[in-house]
Amino acid sequence: MMHQQGSLMPPLLGGVFCQCRSAETHPGVDPGGGGGGGHPPAGDPSSPSPPFEAASPGQTEHPCDICGGPEQEHRLKVLFQVLDVNGDGGICVNDLTIGLKKLGVHRTEHELMKIVKAGDKDLDGQLDFEEFVHYLRDHEKKLRLVFKSLDKKNDGRIDSQEIMQSLRDLGVNISEEQADKILRSMDKNGTMTIDWNEWRDYHLLHPADNIPEIILHWRHSTILDVGESLLVPDEFTAEEKKTGMWWRHLVAGGGAGAVSRTCTAPLDRLKVLMQVHASKSNSMRITGGFIQMIREGGVRSLWRGNGINVIKIAPESAIKFMAYEQIKRLIGSNQETLGIAERFVSGSLAGAIAQSSIYPMEVLKTRLALRKTGQFSGIVDCAKHIFKKEGAAAFYKGYVPNMLGIIPYAGIDLAVYETLKNSWLQRFATDSADPGVFVLLACGTTSSTCGQLASYPLALVRTRMQAQATLESGPQMSMTSLFKHIVRTEGPMGLYRGLAPNFMKVIPSVSISYVVYEHLKITLGVQSK
């Protein structure tokens, strides 16, 4: 989290930001704490300097002559010209390498590539002046969020105890001596504390999209279980991987998923029955479906298929996590977090590998949910019966639509979640990157629901194919034939049979899994924020 590599910012970089202390120009924008007013000498790196923020429209009567006028524009242009080594009006990775070395700032090529990628809106491989300014503003906001979350005492300064506590929250225990060493790498004035200016100057041109605070607060696929297993895996910080906290998170997530799925199993079984048996001629309603299940097998029959659904959580989560980490390495990504496109590719491939590994359990779940009273004595008996009657191939019926469903589900869930997350961070994150329980649950529920809606027709066709052998009179159809048959006989809405009970279980599933996850985290010794 604290990057010890790199030198302190020279006056030119420190002077890019506003040095105004005027309360009427920048009310409430002083995470560095400290008083004083007026304008210190321009370019003095030791002078207090609040962050680079434009005055709001209502404050134009007292414009700051640095941050709101030509002086600040000039400073940014000078910095841009210094970094634009070849003078072509754009800063590329090579320009940054040479330009920052001239300023005494050392960054790896990988870090510089991330800076350019983060700010390059028109995808031309370099930053023009407008993109450069936008990157600095956005970057500084993220740095301010992290500073606020590290400043436990809220006194505008970070000391060694606060660094130790923050790293402990991330699952890392360091000595006071190690914390002092981190402090000294950023401390310019020898006070053994870091104020906002020292923090910002040190991290100014360092990529800020891998901030552990944001990873921690916005983790959702480990926490929220909606009964589907196609979510892109969560990112874990390097510290969590090193200390073994990652497996505790996964165990807590698995336990939460087991409780959540068990509580909502009656709705899940009803969904499967409606997907397979409901049609225009055989309309199945929610209340009627529950009455039918209870009449046929009693109250216990509502939980048919839940045992295998819970059992498959552990192998699937473990395989998906390991595959995700390996695929990240294969695509040449060794940074702590990935961009959204890389996460989508890695997550989709990891999901495909995990689903391929446990797919026979998916078929067993469907068959057990559809079974009549006394048909099978249990999971093993069901598996033996399918193998004897239909052969090994039966355990992969519906495999193709299941694999195809991963793409819209994972892609839309990830895109919607990232959009909601970034929107919240831009609009409402002032003192912390922590969105709070309600926002996290709302974003996770919305993104999962959108993903399910997009992939639902494929999920329905998968379930029908898994169940075909249980329908005595029904022909054995391929995926495309089944799609055409459903649309022809039932219309496009036939592809959404069972959608109501599916969506009815989303909110209780998310709520239950979150509460159980939080309790299991405490039991397993995972530090809570």
Side-chain angles (χ1 to χ4, degrees), residues 261-282:
R261 290 183 188 194
T262 301
C263 291
T264 58
L267 284 164
D268 195 61
R269 185 178 180 223
L270 179 61
K271 177 192 77 173
V272 173
L273 288 171
M274 290 176 77
Q275 285 178 330
V276 175
H277 295 303
S279 63
K280 272 189 174 178
S281 58
N282 177 27

Side-chain angles (χ1 to χ4, degrees), residues 370-436:
L370 293 168
R371 80 182 190 271
K372 291 181 171 62
T373 303
Q375 190 175 353
F376 307 119
S377 61
I379 295 168
V380 176
D381 184 51
C382 178
K384 283 180 182 174
H385 186 85
I386 294 170
F387 183 74
K388 193 174 178 182
K389 193 176 175 185
E390 302 168 57
F395 289 106
Y396 279 87
K397 280 185 175 174
Y399 177 77
V400 174
N402 188 64
M403 290 299 110
L404 292 175
I406 289 172
I407 296 167
Y409 189 105
I412 288 170
D413 174 74
L414 188 62
V416 171
Y417 192 78
E418 289 296 313
T419 302
L420 292 172
K421 179 182 91 172
N422 290 330
S423 175
W424 187 90
L425 284 171
Q426 288 296 322
R427 292 184 186 185
F428 305 109
T430 52
D431 293 340
S432 170
D434 185 356

Side-chain angles (χ1 to χ4, degrees), residues 133-303:
V133 172
H134 185 271
Y135 171 79
L136 286 181
R137 289 186 180 193
D138 187 53
H139 176 89
E140 193 212 357
K141 181 168 185 175
K142 290 175 182 175
L143 290 180
R144 190 160 66 250
L145 287 176
V146 180
F147 184 89
K148 279 280 190 183
S149 63
L150 290 173
D151 183 15
K152 306 285 184 190
K153 298 173 188 168
N154 204 27
D155 60 357
R157 295 184 174 276
I158 301 169
D159 58 29
S160 59
Q161 291 300 318
E162 287 170 319
I163 289 176
M164 288 169 70
Q165 179 60 47
S166 297
L167 289 175
R168 204 175 294 125
D169 290 342
L170 289 170
V172 185
N173 290 303
I174 63 168
S175 66
E176 195 162 353
E177 190 182 338
Q178 288 170 310
D180 287 344
K181 190 177 178 184
I182 292 170
L183 267 180
R184 276 194 291 272
S185 69
M186 285 178 267
D187 181 24
K188 288 192 284 190
N189 54 15
T191 59
M192 286 308 287
T193 58
I194 307 163
D195 62 19
W196 161 243
N197 309 298
E198 290 170 322
W199 169 264
R200 184 209 57 223
D201 289 354
Y202 184 85
H203 289 285
L204 176 61
L205 280 168
H206 199 291
D209 60 345
N210 62 345
I211 293 170
E213 296 294 311
I214 294 175
I215 299 172
L216 285 168
H217 290 310
W218 287 91
R219 181 171 292 142
H220 81 300
S221 79
T222 310
I223 299 170
L224 310 179
D225 189 298
V226 291
E228 297 291 336
S229 308
L230 307 180
L231 287 172
V232 172
D234 278 319
E235 295 288 306
F236 289 97
T237 64
E239 289 85 358
E240 286 174 316
K241 290 173 192 169
K242 192 185 291 183
T243 57
M245 278 292 163
W246 64 271
W247 70 260
R248 297 186 191 193
H249 279 288
L250 288 181
V251 169
V259 175
S260 165
R261 290 183 188 194
T262 301
C263 291
T264 58
L267 284 164
D268 195 61
R269 185 178 180 223
L270 179 61
K271 177 192 77 173
V272 173
L273 288 171
M274 290 176 77
Q275 285 178 330
V276 175
H277 295 303
S279 63
K280 272 189 174 178
S281 58
N282 177 27
S283 162
M284 186 184 284
R285 302 284 176 223
I286 290 169
T287 310
F290 277 126
I291 292 168
Q292 190 180 318
M293 284 191 285
I294 292 168
R295 272 183 189 158
E296 194 276 326
V299 175
R300 281 187 66 185
S301 70
L302 296 175
W303 277 267

